Amino acid sequence: MSFFNLEAAKKKKGSKAPISIKTLHRLECKACPLNKSTADSPKMDPVGSKQPDIYILGDAPNKDDDFNGEPFVSKAGKLLKSQIPSGALKKIRFGNCVRTITPKQRDPVWQEVECCRPSLIRDIERTKP
């Protein structure tokens, strides 16, 4: 699911908005459905360069990321990082659209993405990739 394609997410069968997008943005984590289902999981902040040239954004942490409390540390993350020249890794920031693991590692639903959107936008604006 694309982080910025809200309309496509809304069209998924059974996807309903119990509260407005503005409310989800204002309340952020307080309104997120993941707070109930993943209360013991860390809320992962983006990691990497504070002044990145590139910002790599995943959908949600997986079980390895959740266990380590950091995004992109799983096999897939290691494979991705192995393909990036080591000097370039110092100029990359890694984050996720959703800051905590989803139940059964499913794709995040649009409400979860919208709750995390303001914090991600703040990070992108602060780091200016």
Side-chain angles (χ1 to χ4, degrees), residues 8-27:
K10 279 183 168 180
K11 290 178 184 175
K12 281 189 170 183
K13 187 176 181 178
S15 180
K16 296 180 183 176
I19 56 178
S20 74
I21 292 172
K22 287 182 182 181
T23 302
L24 292 174
H25 289 177
R26 184 174 43 81
L27 294 175

Side-chain angles (χ1 to χ4, degrees), residues 74-89:
S74 65
K75 287 181 184 179
K78 288 176 184 174
L79 176 62
L80 172 68
K81 290 176 182 179
S82 74
Q83 301 303 305
I84 300 170
S86 60
L89 279 173

Side-chain angles (χ1 to χ4, degrees), residues 50-113:
K50 301 287 185 198
Q51 297 178 323
D53 289 336
I54 299 169
Y55 201 113
I56 296 180
L57 191 60
D59 57 354
N62 64 27
K63 64 181 178 180
D64 293 329
D65 299 337
D66 185 62
F67 179 78
N68 289 291
E70 184 176 323
F72 290 87
V73 295
S74 65
K75 287 181 184 179
K78 288 176 184 174
L79 176 62
L80 172 68
K81 290 176 182 179
S82 74
Q83 301 303 305
I84 300 170
S86 60
L89 279 173
K90 297 175 187 173
K91 297 299 283 177
I92 297 176
R93 190 156 181 83
F94 296 91
N96 284 303
C97 294
V98 174
R99 294 175 53 208
T100 190
I101 193 169
T102 58
K104 298 181 182 177
Q105 294 185 216
R106 62 160 168 72
D107 289 341
V109 297
W110 77 269
Q111 295 95 331
E112 297 160 354
V113 173

Side-chain angles (χ1 to χ4, degrees), residues 4 17 20 30-31 40 69 82:
F4 295 101
S20 74
K30 294 174 190 166
D40 295 335
S82 74

